[in-house]
Amino acid sequence: MTPPRPVLRLVWGLHQAVRRVSGGRLGTRSPRHDRVGTLYLHSIGRKTGQPRVNALFYLVDRADLVVVASNGGADTDPAWWLNLRDRPEAEVEIAGDRHPVRARPATAEETDRFWPRLVAANPDYAAYRATARRPIPVVILEPR
């Protein structure tokens, strides 16, 4: 069950503070077969042109990173995904190391292949898909 948005904002603020103080060494985790990992997506706002940072859960598929634009099951796409659709070049930060990526929506076949792994690693995704009145995009972050 997803906590209310004010709680998420508070936790996110604390998470960001820990990440800053530790130089990115704390506040992330590596994915395993039974859980998603955490990365920070550095992108540019489509309206403001300002840098944006978002924490996202991810899985690894060979050299690619797989994320879900779930927005906590909301009926609107998350701003980070809208930003990437306009400007697909971004960077990911994992354990303090930054790497350039290019974002693209997963194909239908890729979504079908990744979805069971994503739900096994984070069961909330299934609930989000069941309640959202929009398709929940799976996004591939390819190294560039």
Side-chain angles (χ1 to χ4, degrees):
M1 182 172 140
T2 303
R5 292 243 183 232
V7 172
L8 289 175
R9 286 191 180 106
L10 174 65
V11 170
W12 170 240
L14 293 171
H15 195 171
Q16 286 289 83
V18 167
R19 181 178 145 272
R20 275 193 298 277
V21 168
S22 72
R25 291 181 306 280
L26 299 176
T28 62
R29 68 179 185 188
S30 297
R32 297 189 320 216
H33 72 284
D34 62 339
R35 74 170 192 205
V36 288
T38 308
L39 62 76
Y40 290 91
L41 175 71
H42 295 260
S43 61
I44 302 296
R46 71 192 181 288
K47 294 180 182 177
T48 65
Q50 297 298 309
R52 301 287 183 227
V53 180
N54 297 89
L56 303 176
F57 292 136
Y58 75 101
L59 295 177
V60 176
D61 181 60
R62 294 182 291 264
D64 298 336
L65 305 174
V66 180
V67 297
V68 179
S70 64
N71 202 15
D75 289 331
T76 57
D77 285 329
W80 64 262
W81 176 227
L82 299 175
N83 292 339
L84 288 178
R85 289 194 324 211
D86 280 5
R87 294 183 184 190
E89 287 76 26
E91 290 185 339
V92 293
E93 178 184 343
I94 301 173
D97 294 326
R98 287 174 69 155
H99 307 280
V101 295
R102 180 173 178 84
R104 66 171 179 80
T107 65
E109 294 79 19
E110 288 171 322
T111 297
D112 290 345
R113 180 166 56 96
F114 291 130
W115 195 254
R117 281 182 59 200
L118 289 161
V119 170
N122 183 4
D124 287 341
Y125 290 144
Y128 299 160
R129 187 182 252 187
T131 60
R133 289 180 285 183
R134 66 178 173 95
I136 302 286
V138 173
V139 180
I140 309 299
L141 303 174
E142 300 173 328
R144 57 178 172 99

